[in-house]
Amino acid sequence: MKCGVGIDLGSTTTKAVLLDEHGEIVGQGITNSRSNYEVACAVAREEALTAARLSLLARALEQLPGEQRTRTAALAAALPEAFRFELYLDQLADLEGELRACVGQVKPDSLRHALEPALDEVIERMSRTAASLFDGSVARRSDFFRDLAGAAFMAAAEAVCAGGAVPFERLAGLFDRAVLDVETTMTRKPFDHVLRRAIARVTSQDAVAAPDAAGVVDLVLAAAAGTAIDEVAFVGTGYGRQTLPFPKECVRSEILCHGRGAHAAFPGTRTVLDIGGQDTKAIQVDESGVVTSFQMNDRCAAGCGRYLGYIADELGLGLHELGPLAMRAHRVIRVNSTCTVFAGAELRERLALGQRREDILAGLHRAMMLRAMSLLARSGGVHDQFTFTGGVCKNEMATKVLHDLVAEHYSPGTRVNIHPDSIYMGARGAALFALDDYRAGRGGAPAWREY
């Protein structure tokens, strides 16, 4: 299978998208890029390749004769989550190794002797609750290992430290050190090995009424795992695109890629708003997806994803927790600054005055989106259809405020598109440019480093 590869190296996350020769998405990968850009790029690409293998497997299952396809339907539906669970368990084992190495270096010995049994209990609690993240019994608000493992670790650590015998901050510090090493280490897991574990887990469940499903999958597994995925062209984009190991002709601007990706997802798109970690882009495109005008924030990251990240850090919350918390606001407090630094000071001041953090957060979200509306106005306004892309799309409060402001300042009937995979739009646009280059005989080969 020949694929065009697009990589969007952002300041917060790195995304990779693989498109087949028909322009269909066959694989997507995403990871944090805060620690190491090169490793983040390799991890996102590896995730996309793994997803492409799962796509091949799904296609092979769909091509089975009718009776066999019916018997394996439950397996096919459950396999992607089971596969992710197996990968999570592997990363959890890596994290445990790093945690034990970190606690072994703690001084003085009396503190280490207190932390070691507490860490054992935290790890045991994390292992016991891991399955709930993937069996649908608990809402999963993030797909990043750092977020999932971090939330589980902190919840377990709070319970273990409740008696006061072990300082919570020292346990939390161990996690911060250990997860950094896990994130910056590229570890390849053989696809067929992980998949067989996932199949064994799924077929052991009573809900899967397919007694011979594993035998059938063995047949298609050989085809899926053995099919060559030929990455024929690459294009990189994003905040860190100049650090990618790509020839300069394989690099495109974020403006072009986000406009192209949003138009591919929603062909009626004429206006695009992308809020990334370091910048906000308001883009106008024509009926072919070609950029006709744009505006970006200048000089600083005010009102961008980093702004929300800073606020989350100030409150000791995960980034994914801000939106749901703001949705519980009783009123919207007016926030005067979208400067990342000054907003933190204003947040602390308002908390000191006794104002509810939910209400303050609602005001912070509105201030951020008002800044985005100003950019949209300068780029040419909002035209039907309007597509919102970038990681902030996952924030339900940000999308609610955007809907309200578009209805307030433009036509209430303006269609606002938000794709479930909006965060991948830049990488998708880059992959489309890669396919263009392949068909035109252009492009070049990246200088990948082996990990």
Side-chain angles (χ1 to χ4, degrees):
M1 180 171 63
K2 289 183 170 58
C3 290
V5 183
I7 292 183
D8 180 1
L9 179 48
S11 61
T12 308
T13 58
T14 299
K15 290 76 64 177
V17 170
L18 268 65
L19 301 180
D20 65 15
E21 290 180 273
H22 307 293
E24 297 295 323
I25 297 172
V26 293
Q28 298 181 151
I30 185 169
T31 188
N32 287 320
S33 50
R34 68 181 72 176
S35 303
N36 185 313
Y37 278 4
E38 289 189 16
V39 172
C41 181
V43 169
R45 178 185 170 218
E46 189 69 20
E47 279 196 13
L49 287 168
T50 297
R53 294 265 174 226
L54 289 173
S55 295
L56 285 170
L57 180 63
R59 291 179 182 181
L61 287 170
E62 288 174 2
Q63 292 170 1
L64 287 172
E67 186 181 348
Q68 285 184 324
R69 187 169 65 247
T70 301
R71 289 206 308 271
T72 57
L75 174 65
L79 206 48
E81 279 298 279
F83 192 93
R84 292 188 186 96
F85 180 41
E86 295 300 329
L87 290 178
Y88 178 78
L89 290 178
D90 286 345
Q91 287 184 293
L92 212 53
D94 293 341
L95 178 64
E96 179 181 349
E98 294 294 340
L99 283 166
R100 296 200 185 283
C102 289
V103 78
Q105 299 170 9
V106 170
K107 297 291 182 183
D109 291 347
S110 57
L111 177 59
R112 185 178 73 253
H113 293 155
L115 287 174
E116 284 174 337
L119 181 61
D120 289 343
E121 188 173 346
V122 168
I123 291 171
E124 196 278 328
R125 286 174 181 249
M126 291 177 70
S127 301
R128 201 189 319 147
T129 59
S132 63
L133 295 169
F134 298 88
D135 63 9
S137 59
V138 173
R140 198 171 69 222
R141 292 180 174 172
S142 174
D143 288 327
F144 294 133
F145 175 74
R146 170 188 276 266
D147 294 338
L148 296 176
F153 186 96
M154 296 309 166
E158 284 181 1
V160 169
C161 298
V166 179
F168 170 81
E169 291 75 15
R170 298 306 298 262
L171 268 181
L174 291 176
F175 175 82
D176 290 339
R177 287 173 56 193
V179 77
L180 191 62
D181 289 333
V182 173
E183 283 185 319
T184 54
T185 302
M186 175 71 188
T187 306
R188 283 195 170 85
K189 310 291 182 184
F191 174 81
D192 56 346
H193 177 66
V194 179
L195 184 60
R196 288 185 185 282
R197 283 164 41 200
I199 291 171
R201 185 177 297 278
V202 173
T203 53
S204 68
Q205 297 170 2
D206 294 337
V208 181
D212 60 345
V216 174
V217 170
D218 274 346
L219 297 176
V220 294
L221 175 61
T227 300
I229 298 176
D230 189 8
E231 300 166 285
V232 295
F234 294 81
V235 163
T237 188
Y239 188 76
R241 60 187 180 277
Q242 300 300 339
T243 69
L244 287 166
F246 291 5
K248 63 179 181 182
E249 61 270 24
C250 295
V251 174
R252 299 285 196 287
S253 76
E254 295 173 84
I255 302 292
L256 292 174
C257 290
H258 280 277
R260 182 88 183 267
H263 186 268
F266 301 102
T269 296
R270 295 297 178 270
T271 302
V272 181
L273 174 67
D274 176 77
I275 301 183
Q278 294 291 341
D279 55 37
T280 299
K281 299 172 278 291
I283 307 167
Q284 307 291 337
V285 299
D286 64 14
E287 64 277 6
S288 300
V290 177
V291 175
T292 56
S293 71
F294 70 91
Q295 286 287 325
M296 290 181 65
N297 61 310
D298 53 4
R299 291 190 293 276
C300 71
C304 302
R306 183 66 195 111
Y307 169 76
L308 290 178
Y310 186 81
I311 297 301
D313 290 343
E314 282 284 324
L315 292 173
L317 298 171
L319 190 58
H320 59 287
E321 296 177 280
L322 290 185
L325 197 57
M327 290 293 286
R328 299 207 296 266
H330 294 162
R331 64 192 183 102
V332 178
I333 289 177
R334 177 169 179 163
V335 173
N336 296 315
S337 176
T338 54
C339 169
T340 302
V341 177
F342 292 146
E346 188 168 355
L347 170 68
R348 292 190 293 273
E349 180 182 338
R350 292 186 178 280
L351 286 172
L353 291 172
Q355 294 177 326
R356 297 175 74 244
R357 62 177 183 172
E358 292 89 344
D359 300 340
I360 303 170
L361 283 175
L364 287 165
H365 281 80
R366 182 173 174 82
M368 182 177 76
M369 299 315 291
L370 279 171
R371 186 178 174 87
M373 292 300 291
S374 173
L375 281 178
L376 283 165
R378 283 191 275 147
S379 75
V382 172
H383 303 282
D384 197 24
Q385 299 173 12
F386 172 45
T387 300
F388 183 27
T389 71
V392 179
C393 290
K394 296 280 189 183
N395 184 310
E396 57 195 288
M397 187 62 181
T399 58
K400 176 186 179 301
V401 173
L402 183 64
H403 274 96
D404 293 345
L405 290 174
V406 169
E408 183 181 331
H409 294 280
Y410 296 93
S411 169
T414 301
R415 178 172 169 177
V416 181
N417 301 314
I418 300 177
H419 195 281
D421 290 330
S422 284
I423 197 169
Y424 290 100
M425 288 304 157
R428 183 174 178 175
L432 287 166
F433 281 117
L435 282 180
D436 289 348
D437 289 347
Y438 170 66
R439 290 163 184 152
R442 300 189 300 260
W448 295 114
R449 178 185 297 184
E450 290 297 327
Y451 288 94

